[in-house]
Amino acid sequence: MSEQRRGIIAAASLPNPPLLLPGTTGGLVAEVEELRAACLAAISAVLTSEPESIVLIGGIRPDEGEHCLSLEVGRALLSQAGCGIRVEEVTVGTDLPPSQCELVGEGIAELSERTAVVVMADGSARRSVKAPGYLDERAVPFDSAVWRALVTGEWSSLIGLDPDLAEQLMVAGRAPWQVFSAAM
């Protein structure tokens, strides 16, 4: 019998809108349930790799105090997916410099057990005129570059995300993605 691979064996990046928290919508909302189903499918795929633990990475905004909403959403989704293994939470400030994100990610990469990584990260809140931050034409290219990196496995490009541009575009996921990038 061959020894199973150690270290990071699976990963997923999920959005973390508060609407995914149980009871938030007051009833079934088709779009929310569709997003929840996609998130739960991603977590199920991660769990099929049979990790010994999950590292849940979430960003915390300076105005959130000590309450990390992204991790709360992540915990709720893991629970709904029936996750029964140990979850280690890693909270990073959304304003953490890329060099510090790299250090946090490198620490995750050194874990010796079979580990899955779930990063809770949102893209720009400025993709349309109805968006919280109104329309910024740089938002779609920014989000597309992140999407491409996540889908193709070119995670190292996430370290190059510009913190100032991310802040202007109201991207809450820049620091968590950079931690993820360094971990991978």
Side-chain angles (χ1 to χ4, degrees):
M1 185 167 138
S2 65
E3 185 176 322
Q4 289 185 321
R5 189 173 141 217
R6 313 301 292 164
I8 298 174
I9 58 167
S13 177
L14 306 176
N16 53 272
L19 289 174
L20 288 174
L21 291 171
T24 305
T25 59
L28 294 180
V29 176
E31 294 86 357
V32 174
E33 294 311 310
E34 184 178 325
L35 178 59
R36 183 187 324 280
C39 290
L40 294 175
I43 292 171
S44 292
V46 163
L47 292 173
T48 62
S49 68
E50 299 180 355
E52 296 169 333
S53 68
I54 291 180
V55 174
L56 180 64
I57 304 169
I60 187 166
R61 293 178 181 91
D63 63 354
E64 284 184 284
E66 292 186 24
H67 177 74
C68 185
L69 184 59
S70 62
L71 289 182
E72 183 179 351
V73 173
R75 282 191 298 272
L77 289 169
L78 287 169
S79 175
Q80 291 169 32
C83 177
I85 61 175
R86 183 172 54 82
V87 177
E88 179 183 336
E89 297 179 357
V90 176
T91 307
V92 294
T94 56
D95 57 352
L96 195 67
S99 60
Q100 294 298 310
C101 292
E102 284 185 273
L103 291 175
V104 174
E106 289 167 0
I108 295 168
E110 293 174 359
L111 296 173
S112 61
E113 63 186 0
R114 292 174 53 80
T115 304
V117 175
V118 176
V119 60
M120 306 303 295
D122 285 332
S124 178
R126 301 194 70 183
R127 292 178 56 109
S128 74
V129 294
K130 293 183 179 182
Y134 197 69
L135 176 65
D136 187 316
E137 293 183 7
R138 301 170 298 171
V140 170
F142 184 97
D143 286 349
S144 294
V146 170
W147 173 254
R148 215 172 13 264
L150 293 170
V151 170
T152 64
E154 294 293 325
W155 303 297
S156 61
S157 66
L158 297 172
I159 286 293
L161 294 175
D162 181 342
D164 293 328
L165 178 59
E167 184 177 344
Q168 293 167 22
L169 295 177
M170 300 174 71
V171 175
R174 191 262 319 156
W177 280 321
Q178 289 181 324
V179 169
F180 169 77
S181 171
M184 297 305 286

